[in-house]
Amino acid sequence: MSSEKRQQALCDDETVAQRWPQSPASVRSARRELRETLQVWGLVELVEDSTLVLSELLSNAVEHSRNADGTVQTRFRRTAGGCGVRIEVYDTDAARLPRMTPATDCDGLRGRGLRIVNTCTRRNWGVDVTSEGKAVWGEVGQ
């Protein structure tokens, strides 16, 4: 990502936020943004799990949420102590909250995303309903 675009996305030294079109192509771009952010923060050891968590959360928002403006937002926050990252995905559809599929239903082609998130975050993930919709988040590296 160009330094000019990074500066536009950078909120401060601890948080990076970006709005994306509600499109599958945005997932790839957001993963690249997260990898670059983790490199700047010196957290390259978290790239694999973090990008997997982001991919699952953002793919769900892109596919399942109904956003009037056609966008979703990501926010990456360095956690307290600087040794982890909180990955947040915002959309305006608070009526559709994600739920983890029971293990017995995981033989199909779909439905394993939140189980992957649960594993990568060591069960440190959740959903916050906001005045503008919802934020689905997960923390890696804590």
Side-chain angles (χ1 to χ4, degrees):
M1 169 179 282
S2 74
S3 60
E4 180 180 342
K5 187 170 181 185
R6 175 170 291 287
Q7 289 173 354
Q8 292 172 353
L10 189 62
C11 295
D12 58 40
D13 290 341
E14 304 293 320
T15 305
V16 175
Q18 183 73 37
R19 188 163 294 281
W20 307 93
Q22 189 173 346
S23 161
S26 294
V27 177
R28 180 176 46 249
S29 298
R31 279 194 308 259
R32 185 173 39 252
E33 174 75 21
L34 178 56
R35 279 191 303 271
E36 291 175 5
T37 298
L38 292 172
Q39 185 172 23
V40 168
W41 288 347
L43 298 173
V44 293
E45 70 277 5
L46 302 181
V47 166
E48 188 174 329
D49 284 348
S50 296
T51 55
L52 191 52
V53 168
L54 174 63
S55 292
E56 295 299 335
L57 298 183
L58 188 53
S59 293
N60 284 347
V62 164
E63 183 174 344
H64 299 295
S65 63
R66 294 183 179 98
N67 298 307
D69 68 354
T71 67
V72 292
Q73 182 181 5
T74 57
R75 186 172 296 157
F76 314 136
R77 299 178 191 258
R78 193 169 2 192
T79 58
C83 60
V85 61
R86 180 178 172 110
I87 300 151
E88 302 170 352
V89 175
Y90 294 81
D91 66 63
T92 60
D93 192 357
R96 297 174 55 109
L97 299 179
R99 64 176 182 81
M100 194 166 14
T101 305
T104 56
D105 294 344
C106 287
D107 289 334
L109 296 174
R110 308 174 63 78
R112 290 185 286 282
L114 290 178
R115 291 198 164 282
I116 293 169
V117 169
N118 195 50
T119 298
C120 291
T121 63
R122 297 184 192 126
R123 296 186 186 98
N124 193 11
W125 70 276
V127 181
D128 296 331
V129 175
T130 70
S131 61
E132 298 163 351
K134 70 176 175 289
V136 185
W137 57 271
E139 291 186 356
V140 177
Q142 293 298 329

